Amino acid sequence: LSSLGLVVVDELHMLGEGGSRGATLESSLSLLMHAAPDTWLVGMSATLSNIHQLLAFLSAKLFTSNFRPVKLEEHVMLNDEIFQVCGSGPSLELASLRKLTATDRRMTDVSLDPDCLVPLVLEAILDDKKQPKHSCLIFCATKKSCQNVAAMVASIFKKRHKSLLGYKSSQRRAVLQTLRHEAGGDCCPVLAATVPAGVAYHHSGLTADERKVVEEAFSSDLLCVLCSTTTLAAGVNLPARRVILRCPMVGRSFLSLSQYKQMVGRAGRAGLDTTGNSILILHDKEAVQMMSVLQGPFTSCESSLLSDGGKSFRRFLLSLVGLKVAMSDEHLRNVISKTLWHVQCSANADFESEITGNIQLLMKSGFIRRRAQPSDSATQLDSATQTDSVSQSQTQTLLASST
């Protein structure tokens, strides 16, 4: 690590995601700052709130910029009316632009598409000659919803917009053939039905190779509509002319301001578009809560080390001991003092009790042992756990079943 000169961390707000992802990022950054104190560290995000705590965690200075290579226009569709989002924070307002017309409804099958999603998609992807030359991302709350929406859009394209099916048809067949190859000969039936229409879905249910095929096809304009979960909102650079948020939900949770901004931020392709636009689809029952979100602050970025009952914290402790980064209580406390969790500890007693309690739990479980020096060392059980990337609970279950 000491040979690294610069480390750039994009999407720094993922520190506060909770679960293993945020904890792993926090652990890695803390270890980096301890093992390579001279390495420059640059963290980037467009959706951070508690900047002062993050500056303390990273021992960093703040640089801000409002630059965006492509102008973004945000919209909300409430029932049949489209509004433009004006301003930000408590002063944010919605200005009426237009209502859906009978022409819009004739472009779709309202029995399948009651929110008139297809007209919004066609408005974005078609050029002056009514050819699908642009792209549209549709964010959905769940994986199942992604597949359903993709199937619905492709079905209506086939029924009411057959001229779209001839666009780059041979290349789309090649994409489908590649997907079949990656799946061992049997392609997902939803993709088999949607890809010829220039539509696909993207979520963690696809393999990494399948997602790569879909991403490349979308980037090269072979696919013009992509229905996705938040996997495309964070970390994957696949911008589109228009981004549509199917509903204000992520799974079963209501959308946060940070998640909303990450999604709409995918609108506008630098070098290809002069503007990008987004449309959030709302209904009356969601409108008040979503306005509160849009007018509110970003959610505070909280440490994830203890968010899963301490499992990630214990894994961090194990890695420090197993990698011989920390061989004593003093060394452990020195490294842990460089975590965001330490910066946010409400009292020093919390810091000490969590470390002591989790070390004792690891010793009781047989993952580490204490020597007379005093120093801690990893056991063979811990070495096997780390080598095979298995959780401590899984290791204990396997050990119990083999004895």
Side-chain angles (χ1 to χ4, degrees):
L1 288 178
S2 59
S3 64
L4 292 174
L6 174 67
V7 173
V8 179
V9 183
D10 197 8
E11 314 291 1
L12 187 64
H13 56 272
M14 287 185 177
L15 280 167
E17 278 199 353
S20 61
R21 179 182 290 181
T24 299
L25 178 56
E26 182 177 347
S27 301
S28 300
L29 291 177
S30 301
L31 179 59
L32 175 67
M33 289 187 289
H34 173 79
D38 294 329
T39 299
W40 284 35
L41 187 60
V42 177
M44 301 188 297
S45 175
T47 57
L48 290 174
S49 178
N50 49 325
I51 299 293
H52 62 289
Q53 291 182 331
L54 295 168
L55 293 177
F57 164 48
L58 299 172
S59 300
K61 295 181 180 179
L62 178 64
F63 174 80
T64 61
S65 172
N66 293 322
F67 172 75
R68 196 180 193 278
V70 179
K71 181 183 177 182
L72 172 62
E73 296 177 352
E74 299 175 37
H75 304 92
V76 168
M77 188 171 83
L78 179 59
N79 300 324
D80 289 341
E81 190 168 3
I82 298 176
F83 300 84
Q84 184 166 1
V85 178
C86 303
S88 61
S91 61
L92 180 143
E93 295 180 344
L94 301 181
S96 178
L97 286 181
R98 70 179 181 91
K99 290 188 176 183
L100 295 181
T101 64
T103 301
D104 291 320
R105 292 183 178 85
R106 283 195 294 270
M107 296 171 72
T108 190
D109 182 341
V110 179
S111 65
L112 300 175
D113 181 23
D115 290 325
C116 290
L117 192 63
V118 167
L120 300 179
V121 170
L122 291 172
E123 184 181 58
I125 67 172
L126 298 181
D127 63 9
D128 294 338
K129 298 179 181 179
K130 302 300 180 182
Q131 290 296 307
K133 293 294 182 66
H134 307 293
S135 55
C136 181
L137 270 174
I138 304 174
F139 283 112
C140 304
T142 65
K143 290 185 281 189
K144 185 64 175 175
S145 178
C146 285
Q147 296 177 221
N148 290 341
V149 171
M152 179 269 290
V153 172
S155 173
I156 294 174
F157 278 8
K158 292 177 181 179
K159 291 178 181 177
R160 305 205 173 194
H161 306 280
K162 294 181 180 180
S163 62
L164 302 180
L165 305 183
Y167 182 74
K168 296 187 177 181
S169 56
S170 60
Q171 293 100 315
R172 289 174 179 174
R173 286 195 296 270
V175 170
L176 204 52
Q177 187 60 36
T178 303
L179 287 169
R180 288 194 180 101
H181 174 75
E182 295 296 346
D186 292 324
C187 178
C188 164
V190 175
L191 290 176
T194 62
V195 168
V199 183
Y201 70 85
H202 183 291
H203 59 58
S204 59
L206 297 174
T207 67
D209 289 335
E210 287 171 330
R211 290 198 300 271
K212 183 178 180 181
V213 172
V214 170
E215 290 165 12
E216 290 177 349
F218 187 71
S219 295
S220 58
D221 292 331
L222 297 180
L223 299 174
C224 49
V225 182
L226 196 56
C227 304
S228 175
T229 56
T230 54
T231 54
L232 278 183
V236 181
N237 185 26
L238 284 182
R241 169 166 284 197
R242 171 169 287 174
V243 169
I244 299 175
L245 281 67
R246 184 71 179 81
C247 66
M249 303 294 292
V250 176
R252 296 181 179 181
S253 302
F254 204 84
L255 196 66
S256 70
L257 181 60
S258 177
Q259 291 168 329
Y260 168 78
K261 288 294 185 181
Q262 290 296 325
M263 292 182 193
V264 302
R266 298 298 171 187
R269 299 177 296 176
L272 297 175
D273 298 324
T274 55
T275 62
N277 64 79
S278 66
I279 300 177
L280 168 62
I281 298 176
L282 293 177
H283 297 98
D284 287 330
K285 63 181 180 180
E286 306 152 339
V288 173
Q289 186 173 355
M290 193 62 218
M291 280 300 295
S292 177
V293 169
L294 292 175
Q295 292 176 330
F298 287 115
T299 305
S300 179
C301 186
E302 301 293 331
S303 171
S304 301
L305 275 182
L306 299 177
S307 64
D308 53 359
K311 292 179 182 178
S312 295
F313 185 53
R314 289 190 290 276
R315 193 171 188 86
F316 182 38
L317 292 174
L318 278 176
S319 67
L320 295 177
V321 175
L323 294 172
K324 295 181 170 51
V325 174
M327 299 299 293
S328 68
D329 288 350
E330 181 183 355
H331 290 158
L332 277 173
R333 283 164 172 75
N334 186 28
V335 180
I336 295 169
S337 69
K338 292 180 170 60
T339 62
L340 177 61
W341 170 66
H342 178 251
V343 171
Q344 294 177 335
C345 265
S346 58
N348 194 49
D350 296 335
F351 179 69
E352 293 296 331
S353 63
E354 287 291 350
I355 295 175
T356 302
N358 281 286
I359 288 176
Q360 290 175 348
L361 186 57
L362 290 171
M363 291 176 64
K364 183 179 179 181
S365 302
F367 286 96
I368 61 175
R369 59 176 174 263
R370 191 176 293 283
R371 292 176 177 170
Q373 279 84 340
S375 66
D376 298 326
S377 65
T379 63
Q380 288 183 330
L381 186 63
D382 172 45
S383 298
T385 300
Q386 294 199 53
T387 300
D388 294 326
S389 299
V390 181
S391 70
Q392 298 125 45
S393 59
Q394 289 173 320
T395 300
Q396 290 175 313
T397 300
L398 290 170
L399 184 64
S401 64
S402 64
T403 56

